[in-house]
Amino acid sequence: MTSPTKAEDSGSAVALEPELASTSETAKNKTGLEGRSPGRLMWQRFRRDRTGMVCAGVVIFFFVIALLAPVLTAISGTDPYTLYGQDPTYADKPVLDEFGLPLGYFGGVSAEHWFGVEPQYGRDLFAMLVYGMRTSLYMALGVATLLTVTGVIIGLVGGYFGGRTDYWLGRVTDFFLSFPSQLFFIAFMPVVTAFFVDPREETPTYFRALAILIVLWVLGWMGMARLVRSVVLAVREREFIEAAKVSGASPARIIRKEILPNIVTPVLVQFTYQLPSTILTIAFLSFAGVGFVEPTPDWGRLFAAGAQYTQQDPAFIFFPGVALVIFILCFNLLGDSVRDAFDPKSGR
Amino acid sequence: MSENLTLPAQQGSTDGAPSTTETLLEVEGLTKHFPIYGGFPIKRKVGAVQAVDGVDLTVGVGESLGLVGESGCGKSTTGRLITRLLEPTGGRITYRGQDITHAKRKQLAPVRSEIQMIFQDPYSSLNPRQTVGSIIKSPMEVNGINPAGGREKKVRELLELVGLNPEHYNRFPHEFSGGQRQRIGVARALALNPKLIVADEPVSALDVSIQAQVINLLQKVQDELGIAFLFIAHDLAVVRHFSQRVAVMYLGKVVEVGDRESIYNRPRHPYTHALLSAVPEVRVDEEEQRERIRLSGDVPSPISPPSGCRFRTRCWKAQDKCATEEPPLVQISGNREGHLTACHFPEDPTTEARDEDVVLDPALKALEDSAGKE
Ligand SMILES: Nc1ncnc2c1ncn2[C@@H]1O[C@H](COP(=O)(O)OP(=O)(O)OP(=O)(O)O)[C@@H](O)[C@H]1O
Ligand code: SF4
Ligand SMILES: [Mg+2]
């Protein structure tokens, strides 16, 4: 009944009304027609944060190293599997002395072996580290992504639909939270592996990876689910959700268009905290002997090995240790910066 | 299209006369009880908040009905029931002869676009992650409406209609002031060419200086597009210039309803008198003195409302009958047609000062007595 043309006609009448164009209301309409989205504002704030930028650089650097591990080892001419100390091919270039300790200074640092070699076997530490980082980072990325997706789905469903659904999802979350996770990682890893692979046979590496993924995933999604649920509960109460309902939007559309964009921020912040802690957990699993095993290069395994060698060759733990400390520190600082940049108080 | 032709001049002339237009929305005995759960270890229903308890309203085509009452009396709940954001416990909602009381989302689809809502809080009613353009466009997308010239063109027209720069299409809500945001909310409500807009205290969150601008905008929209309004407000002052008819609510019930002239100049229900005396005096040149009524205490809890007349705990005319018998909402003698009052012992139809002020607030009374002695 009200035709668009009608609306158009009356439009000019209203717009021209002098009191509507009062200065107080129009003063804010400065130049620049493109609005700055909350995301853009966040990016601008983040760019001003020096620590955040540096840490982001470092984190990216680590990921690039992990990604380029084959290229880097091609340049250094080493690989993480060859036993440079025992392989007769390399007998002309001895790296270990008769006690199995690296020759030369600082764990055998040389032009061939940039970070030195491993005692006993003589494997190249540089190659083991970059490949180890590759394993850890990609595992962690996989786990953190799975956790996030699961947590977001469960939190969204519980928070949006509420009532009985929320109650039971909450109980399930509590149930999983009640596991002492570190102990269960250690206890469950062999169980999960044995479930799929005959214990008498050799477990393939990809399978170990899968088992780690499953265990960390099943025991790790609860934090994200709780966070998402609480955010959804808050967003759901806001009037724009009701406005969408009044316009007839389906629950799927409301979740997709109205709620999801509003939980991206806390999820992203949580993700940046989740990733380094997952790396540490995976390293812990390998360290405890239930994660990756010989000869798969892995960050955590380097620590397990380094702990054995500390008496004779303290230099061995140096490079993996420093790398891990720098990485975790920067990642956590990055998480703080991301959170600060998203902080709603600093910009409306 | 005839209702579109309602002009401001005409509206002025209908002042005071009971509205005779075609009925758009009819609400009968509308009830909403929010259950209260408690008990240990098994939770069960231990009571109910009787937020809305048998409300009857009608809104005519192109008419503006004001719904007034103190905080917590169930105005928002009524509005949300009518827009079907809440499921009614009882009663009937009829829109153009169609019963929509318990219609599901899909069944409601044809009517959806015709009943829209403007919200109270301009800061929470716009999604901060969407541009103004997509906020206003979204209802059209949901309902598959493709206006001539495209949705974006329509959005720009709407922005202009509500007094915003159409170039702000790609801006985000955080870049606007409260008043501007409320205009965006109005534009969104208009996007579907509605026939009825439920406005839940659309200006009470705004600065006083901006309130008038937004009210004027709504008035323009109502006059020029012939949209019916259910305008919710917590005092009679805001509604005064906007609504042809006014309904006064108290604790989940309509206690008095009538055309503007009757409610403001010839109120019968004691509660309406009290509300009116709380409206700040605007006309200084007025000869007659207005009555003064100061109620004491708060609205009783809607969990266990008083028996009989719900206003009796604060009413200065209450008698035994009020506690036992609930007064029906009827046209009492001396009222004009369409002016209904729910009271056993109505007041005189005047707002002139009475011999003695009704001051029921003990603290205020003590204060005034001591001031008088000096
Ligand atoms: N979802 C709910 N669950 C339980 N009780 C509710 C709910 N919504 C409203 N109520 C109760 O219903 C009563 C009426 O609330 P309503 O919001 O309709 O009041 P109102 O007249 O709009 O008040 P205000 O002027 O403060 O907005 C209040 O006592 C409130 O506590
Ligand atoms: S019915 Fe009785 S208590 Fe209720 S408003 Fe009238 S006089 Fe007061
Ligand atoms: Mg309200």
Side-chain angles (χ1 to χ4, degrees):
Chain A
M1 49 162 268
T2 309
S3 63
T5 33
K6 172 97 179 127
E8 204 177 357
D9 291 345
S10 52
S12 45
V14 176
L16 288 178
E17 195 162 274
E19 64 183 330
L20 294 183
S22 89
T23 44
S24 67
E25 286 247 308
T26 44
K28 279 183 80 184
N29 309 346
K30 280 182 244 91
T31 49
L33 303 175
E34 198 67 26
R36 291 184 307 165
S37 74
R40 277 257 311 275
L41 286 177
M42 174 263 159
W43 174 237
Q44 283 172 354
R45 276 198 294 275
F46 183 73
R47 278 221 315 239
R48 266 184 260 127
D49 185 344
R50 287 263 280 293
T51 325
M53 286 304 278
V54 169
C55 290
V58 173
V59 167
I60 291 170
F61 174 73
F62 271 82
F63 273 99
V64 168
I65 286 184
L67 189 72
L68 296 181
V71 180
L72 290 170
T73 48
I75 296 170
S76 73
T78 52
D79 74 81
Y81 299 104
T82 310
L83 309 179
Y84 293 96
Q86 298 173 356
D87 197 327
T89 328
Y90 300 96
D92 53 329
K93 276 187 268 178
V95 289
L96 301 176
D97 61 19
E98 60 267 40
F99 305 111
L101 291 176
L103 288 166
Y105 295 105
F106 209 67
V109 173
S110 66
E112 282 87 43
H113 305 289
W114 298 348
F115 288 179
V117 294
E118 187 185 10
Q120 310 298 340
Y121 307 105
R123 282 182 295 193
D124 181 59
L125 181 54
F126 176 74
M128 287 207 293
L129 182 57
V130 289
Y131 269 97
M133 274 162 52
R134 189 183 167 92
T135 320
S136 297
L137 289 191
Y138 292 149
M139 281 296 297
L141 211 56
V143 171
T145 309
L146 273 179
L147 294 187
T148 305
V149 171
T150 317
V152 166
I153 290 173
I154 290 183
L156 260 181
V157 170
Y160 184 76
F161 291 102
R164 222 160 262 276
T165 324
D166 187 29
Y167 177 82
W168 287 111
L169 283 178
R171 295 296 77 75
V172 172
T173 312
D174 288 344
F175 173 74
F176 278 99
L177 270 177
S178 66
F179 288 108
S181 53
Q182 303 280 334
L183 283 179
F184 266 75
F185 290 147
I186 298 173
F188 261 124
M189 275 300 300
V191 178
V192 172
T193 329
F195 200 76
F196 294 99
V197 181
D198 187 341
R200 281 161 297 187
E201 288 172 26
E202 178 78 25
T203 314
T205 305
Y206 80 87
F207 209 87
R208 290 202 161 265
L210 203 65
I212 294 174
L213 210 69
I214 291 171
V215 168
L216 292 190
W217 175 31
V218 169
L219 292 179
W221 53 270
M222 295 80 69
M224 187 62 92
R226 289 215 153 168
L227 174 84
V228 171
R229 175 181 172 270
S230 69
V231 178
V232 170
L233 281 182
V235 172
R236 200 184 62 167
E237 293 306 314
R238 306 197 51 189
E239 282 173 346
F240 60 80
I241 304 290
E242 291 194 320
K245 282 185 185 159
V246 168
S247 77
S250 62
R253 188 188 158 97
I254 291 176
I255 288 181
R256 201 161 33 88
K257 290 260 181 176
E258 311 285 341
I259 295 183
L260 266 183
N262 282 290
I263 63 170
V264 167
T265 307
V267 167
L268 206 65
V269 171
Q270 176 77 0
F271 185 83
T272 55
Y273 286 126
Q274 184 82 61
L275 204 58
S277 86
T278 309
I279 288 172
L280 287 180
T281 310
I282 295 174
F284 163 77
L285 286 186
S286 297
F287 184 82
V290 292
F292 291 102
V293 292
E294 294 277 7
T296 316
D298 176 73
W299 221 339
R301 245 200 54 242
L302 287 180
F303 289 105
Q308 280 177 26
Y309 304 138
T310 24
Q311 295 292 318
Q312 305 97 36
D313 181 17
F316 183 77
I317 201 99
F318 177 78
F319 290 105
V322 168
L324 191 71
V325 167
I326 292 177
F327 181 70
I328 299 292
L329 183 72
C330 284
F331 220 128
N332 279 317
L333 287 175
L334 175 68
D336 288 344
S337 296
V338 171
R339 196 200 48 214
D340 289 347
F342 275 131
D343 193 31
K345 269 171 284 172
S346 47
R348 157 117 83 182
Chain B
M1 290 292 274
S2 64
E3 62 269 19
N4 270 356
L5 301 175
T6 321
L7 296 170
Q10 249 179 339
Q11 189 210 328
S13 70
T14 55
D15 231 3
S19 138
T20 50
T21 45
E22 190 192 334
T23 308
L24 184 67
L25 177 87
E26 192 166 2
V27 172
E28 292 166 76
L30 190 63
T31 306
K32 178 71 192 180
H33 292 180
F34 294 105
I36 306 165
Y37 295 100
F40 183 84
I42 297 157
K43 281 198 179 167
R44 64 203 135 80
K45 199 179 150 200
V46 293
V49 180
Q50 303 178 15
V52 174
D53 205 21
V55 161
D56 301 316
L57 292 172
T58 53
V59 183
V61 171
E63 181 192 52
S64 166
L65 173 69
L67 187 60
V68 181
E70 269 169 293
S71 183
C73 69
K75 308 179 298 289
S76 298
T77 308
T78 308
R80 283 177 159 73
L81 287 169
I82 290 170
T83 50
R84 293 305 321 283
L85 283 168
L86 290 172
E87 188 69 20
T89 315
R92 257 167 73 90
I93 306 170
T94 320
Y95 179 79
R96 290 179 166 248
Q98 190 188 343
D99 187 345
I100 58 164
T101 319
H102 298 289
K104 296 274 171 298
R105 191 173 65 85
K106 293 239 166 63
Q107 301 166 323
L108 213 54
V111 179
R112 253 290 164 240
S113 59
E114 303 193 357
I115 307 177
Q116 287 298 302
M117 190 155 181
I118 297 171
F119 294 88
Q120 174 171 3
D121 181 359
Y123 289 90
S124 101
S125 64
L126 305 178
N127 190 339
R129 303 262 157 206
Q130 289 183 2
T131 60
V132 170
S134 49
I135 288 173
I136 302 175
K137 203 162 56 183
S138 169
M140 291 190 261
E141 285 170 6
V142 169
N143 289 279
I145 292 173
N146 288 298
R151 289 179 185 146
E152 182 164 341
K153 179 159 172 279
K154 170 85 180 177
V155 172
R156 288 179 195 275
E157 285 167 8
L158 285 168
L159 282 173
E160 200 164 331
L161 172 71
V162 299
L164 291 173
N165 185 346
E167 300 302 322
H168 289 167
Y169 186 87
N170 282 322
R171 293 280 188 99
F172 285 84
H174 66 86
E175 297 171 283
F176 293 91
S177 70
Q180 288 174 317
R181 280 162 180 248
Q182 204 57 314
R183 283 162 198 262
I184 298 170
V186 174
R188 170 176 58 192
L190 293 177
L192 294 173
N193 295 329
K195 296 195 174 62
L196 171 68
I197 290 182
V198 175
D200 188 359
E201 307 200 20
V203 295
S204 60
L206 302 179
D207 197 79
V208 181
S209 60
I210 293 163
Q211 281 189 358
Q213 297 176 5
V214 173
I215 295 249
N216 280 331
L217 168 67
L218 291 176
Q219 185 108 49
K220 274 258 157 20
V221 164
Q222 202 223 338
D223 293 348
E224 293 178 16
L225 304 181
I227 297 171
F229 268 81
L230 178 66
F231 191 101
I232 298 172
H234 60 249
D235 65 63
L236 280 161
V238 176
V239 167
R240 177 169 216 145
H241 305 281
F242 192 76
S243 300
Q244 290 101 325
R245 288 203 306 132
V246 177
V248 179
M249 255 186 107
Y250 185 79
L251 210 54
K253 282 194 187 298
V254 173
V255 294
E256 186 158 31
V257 57
D259 55 275
R260 168 169 42 186
E261 216 271 327
S262 298
I263 294 291
Y264 282 90
N265 296 331
R266 303 160 49 76
R268 303 301 299 274
H269 198 282
Y271 182 58
T272 314
H273 278 259
L275 274 185
L276 272 176
S277 85
V279 173
E281 208 64 54
V282 242
R283 286 165 294 181
V284 259
D285 56 326
E286 206 173 32
E287 301 249 307
E288 77 218 72
Q289 275 287 300
R290 290 265 300 273
E291 60 183 342
R292 271 188 72 232
I293 302 164
R294 295 292 172 265
L295 293 178
S296 68
D298 290 324
V299 186
S301 158
I303 297 169
S304 51
S307 65
C309 175
R310 294 190 167 188
F311 187 54
R312 71 178 163 84
T313 51
R314 300 165 80 192
C315 182
W316 57 96
K317 296 193 82 177
Q319 296 179 27
D320 292 345
K321 190 184 179 192
C322 304
T324 51
E325 223 176 291
E326 188 173 328
L329 183 65
V330 289
Q331 183 182 340
I332 49 181
S333 63
N335 278 8
R336 264 196 263 183
E337 201 198 323
H339 178 186
L340 314 177
T341 310
C343 179
H344 293 307
F345 311 104
E347 288 276 341
D348 294 335
T350 173
T351 56
E352 279 172 37
R354 46 185 92 221
D355 300 338
E356 201 179 342
D357 289 340
V358 180
V359 180
L360 295 176
D361 191 340
L364 187 62
K365 182 141 186 86
L367 205 70
E368 290 193 354
D369 284 352
S370 65
K373 274 186 217 120
E374 278 163 26

